[in-house]
Amino acid sequence: MSEPRINDRIRVSEVRLVGPGGEQVGVVRVEDALRLAQEADLDLVEVAPNARPPVCKLMDFGKYKYEADMKARDARRNQANTVLKEIRFRLKIDPHDYGTKKGHVERFLKGGDKVKVMIMFRGREQSRPEMGMRLLQRLADDVAELGHVESVPRQDGRNMTMVLGPNKKKSEARNEQRRRKDQDAEDAASAG
């Protein structure tokens, strides 16, 4: 965003002036507007340069810039980037290993991330894609309360992939984790 022109940088003869409280002053010469700004110890800021005549407002430009920066920072803080995590399975997976990998998938989904689940086929396993479909369907059923299938299992050369999406948005998951952490801290403080 380009910075608006202020005070002496405004190079037009007339401006439509808006007072510090948002009240309309009217169309005035730029010299008069600058004088009013100096008397009020404020800045003359061009808020609508494309209007005819340009619209200028009397305001404290430093305070305005600070508030705009804080608003942008809050927007960035609340913005959440969903990450695509990847988990790889083999077709002949031990039940304990399956439980461990399922735990990872659950953790990723609770954190609000998408999970790409991939089964790698080796040798003669490639002739049995239905077994891979069954394994992926079992995993989807096991984590159904945390996530849903975004892209159905699909054979992709020697691999079969499926994407699981979280039921909660990333920002909701992060806020819930923050609340839980604050609650735990309060409980520890009251107990100790």
Side-chain angles (χ1 to χ4, degrees):
M1 190 175 90
S2 64
E3 205 166 280
R5 288 187 290 232
I6 61 170
N7 298 333
D8 297 329
R9 293 201 179 114
I10 300 171
R11 301 258 181 242
V12 291
S13 57
E14 288 185 329
V15 295
R16 181 175 303 279
L17 188 62
V18 178
E23 68 277 0
Q24 295 286 333
V25 177
V27 178
V28 296
R29 289 186 11 244
V30 76
E31 295 84 17
D32 296 337
L34 282 167
R35 186 176 43 75
L36 285 171
Q38 283 180 338
E39 288 172 3
D41 199 26
L42 294 171
D43 297 306
L44 183 65
V45 182
E46 192 175 46
V47 290
N50 297 330
R52 290 287 161 247
V55 179
C56 293
K57 185 173 181 180
L58 296 174
M59 66 170 80
D60 183 350
F61 187 64
K63 182 179 176 186
Y64 166 78
K65 230 171 116 174
Y66 174 76
E67 288 173 352
D69 287 348
M70 295 310 284
K71 210 176 284 183
R73 181 190 280 168
D74 281 346
R76 276 196 309 274
R77 183 182 299 137
N78 292 332
Q79 175 186 3
N81 299 328
T82 302
V83 180
L84 183 65
K85 303 282 190 174
E86 189 171 309
I87 286 280
R88 294 180 179 203
F89 283 82
R90 290 284 314 282
L91 194 58
K92 297 176 184 167
I93 188 168
D94 185 65
H96 179 266
D97 293 339
Y98 173 81
T100 302
K101 295 212 178 209
K102 183 182 83 163
H104 292 317
V105 171
E106 289 173 344
R107 188 181 73 224
F108 294 149
L109 290 172
K110 279 180 189 169
D113 294 318
K114 292 182 181 184
V115 182
K116 178 180 180 181
V117 184
M118 180 185 295
I119 295 182
M120 299 176 292
F121 293 101
R122 282 196 175 148
R124 294 175 66 185
E125 292 175 351
Q126 292 178 51
S127 64
R128 305 289 303 273
E130 69 277 358
M131 291 178 72
M133 287 287 240
R134 268 197 303 245
L135 182 61
L136 289 176
Q137 192 56 50
R138 176 178 155 206
L139 179 67
D141 293 342
D142 287 348
V143 297
E145 71 276 353
L146 298 172
H148 58 279
V149 177
E150 277 194 4
S151 92
V152 293
R154 189 167 57 239
Q155 185 83 30
D156 192 26
R158 299 175 128 227
N159 302 323
M160 182 175 282
T161 59
M162 171 179 76
V163 177
L164 296 170
N167 288 339
K168 288 185 182 168
K169 288 191 175 111
K170 179 109 177 184
S171 56
E172 292 173 13
R174 189 186 296 147
N175 289 338
E176 187 176 301
Q177 286 174 342
R178 198 176 291 142
R179 275 196 303 273
R180 199 176 301 124
K181 187 190 280 185
D182 292 345
Q183 184 64 40
D184 290 347
E186 282 181 22
D187 293 345
S190 63

